[in-house]
């Protein structure tokens, strides 16, 4: 810089304004570079913050997914449990109803047959008949009471009941079971 200072002194040029401009340009350049560095830092912080936000969002979504998964599993397990409980309750009600019907029929047959032991064996035969045919125990018991009321002999009842069940099953109409029993009863009554 010494050469330039000598030259300007010999020529008598005033470079003070030029020096001020250089200093101002240098200061502006420094401020600009500091602002750019600051902006890059802010951008980097914003990017880091956004990245952290995405991580937090990802973790929250993962936790939310796990929570929804647990809730869904809980609902499925509870639904299965309640269906199982309802099935057991339904089966218990059916079993209780069946037991009650068997007991009521046993009492009725005891009155019709006038022998508790024979009534019990007859009731067991009706249960076996219901298991072997497409008819329910209640249907078999109702028809047996009707036939006994028409004074069919007890020793012939199993054969008669099975014949009626076979004939009705062949027709494919379960309502015919009672109709055939009633027709046979009327024939028996007329002699």
């Amino acid at each position: 810089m010494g050469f330039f200072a000598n030259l300007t002194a010999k020529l008598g040029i005033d470079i003070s304004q030029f020096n001020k401009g250089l200093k101002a340009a240098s200061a502006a350049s420094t401020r600009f570079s500091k602002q750019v560095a600051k902006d890059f830092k802010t951008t980097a912080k914003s990017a880091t913050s956004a990245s952290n936000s995405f991580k937090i969002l990802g973790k929250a979504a993962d936790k939310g997914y796990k929570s929804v998964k647990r809730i869904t599993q809980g609902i499925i397990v509870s639904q299965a449990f309640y269906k199982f409980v309802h099935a057991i309750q339904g089966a218990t009600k059916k079993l209780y109803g069946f037991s009650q019907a068997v007991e009521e029929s046993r009492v009725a047959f005891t009155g019709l047959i006038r022998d508790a032991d024979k009534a019990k064996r007859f009731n067991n035969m009706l249960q076996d008949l219901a298991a072997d045919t497409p008819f329910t125990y209640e249907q078999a018991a109702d028809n047996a009471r009707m036939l006994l009321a028409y004074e069919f002999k007890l020793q012939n009842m199993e054969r008669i009941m099975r014949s009626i069940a076979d004939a009705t099953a062949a027709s494919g109409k379960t309502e015919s079971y009672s109709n055939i029993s009633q027709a046979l009863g009327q024939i028996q009554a007329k002699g």
Side-chain angles (χ1 to χ4, degrees):
M1 185 116 155
F3 172 75
F4 185 70
N6 284 338
L7 181 65
T8 54
K10 286 182 184 179
L11 293 175
I13 302 176
D14 183 15
I15 58 166
S16 64
Q17 289 297 332
F18 178 72
N19 282 339
K20 281 184 183 178
L22 277 179
K23 284 181 183 177
S26 175
S29 174
T30 302
R31 280 194 310 271
F32 177 74
S33 64
K34 285 180 181 179
Q35 186 63 41
V36 167
K38 185 178 175 184
D39 289 345
F40 276 125
K41 283 181 184 177
T42 303
T43 304
K45 283 182 182 178
S46 295
T48 302
S49 176
S51 174
N52 289 339
S53 295
F54 281 122
K55 285 179 185 175
I56 291 170
L57 179 63
K59 287 178 182 177
D62 189 43
K63 285 180 183 177
Y65 169 74
K66 287 179 181 175
S67 294
V68 169
K69 182 180 170 185
R70 280 192 301 257
I71 291 168
T72 303
Q73 287 173 339
I75 290 170
I76 290 170
V77 167
S78 67
Q79 290 296 320
F81 174 75
Y82 286 120
K83 283 183 181 181
F84 179 71
V85 167
H86 290 310
I88 289 173
Q89 287 175 337
T92 303
K93 283 181 184 178
K94 294 279 186 185
L95 185 59
Y96 178 75
F98 177 75
S99 296
Q100 189 137 7
V102 168
E103 183 59 24
E104 288 172 4
S105 293
R106 187 192 61 74
V107 170
F109 290 132
T110 300
L112 285 169
I113 298 170
R114 302 201 197 306
D115 183 344
D117 191 44
K118 286 181 181 178
K120 183 178 179 182
R121 285 195 307 264
F122 184 70
N123 211 12
N124 289 340
M125 182 276 299
L126 289 176
Q127 290 176 37
D128 293 341
L129 179 76
D132 296 341
T133 64
F135 306 104
T136 64
Y137 169 79
E138 288 82 3
Q139 290 172 318
D142 288 344
N143 287 325
R145 278 192 290 275
M146 183 187 330
L147 292 173
L148 286 172
Y150 280 118
E151 298 181 359
F152 278 89
K153 295 189 188 251
L154 184 62
Q155 59 268 24
N156 297 332
M157 285 297 290
E158 183 174 2
R159 185 176 47 83
I160 292 169
M161 296 288 297
R162 288 201 180 271
S163 296
I164 294 170
D166 292 342
T168 306
S171 76
K173 298 179 182 176
T174 56
E175 63 274 358
S176 299
Y177 193 44
S178 145
N179 294 342
I180 292 173
S181 297
Q182 190 171 15
L184 284 175
Q186 290 171 353
I187 291 170
Q188 173 81 0
K190 289 184 181 180

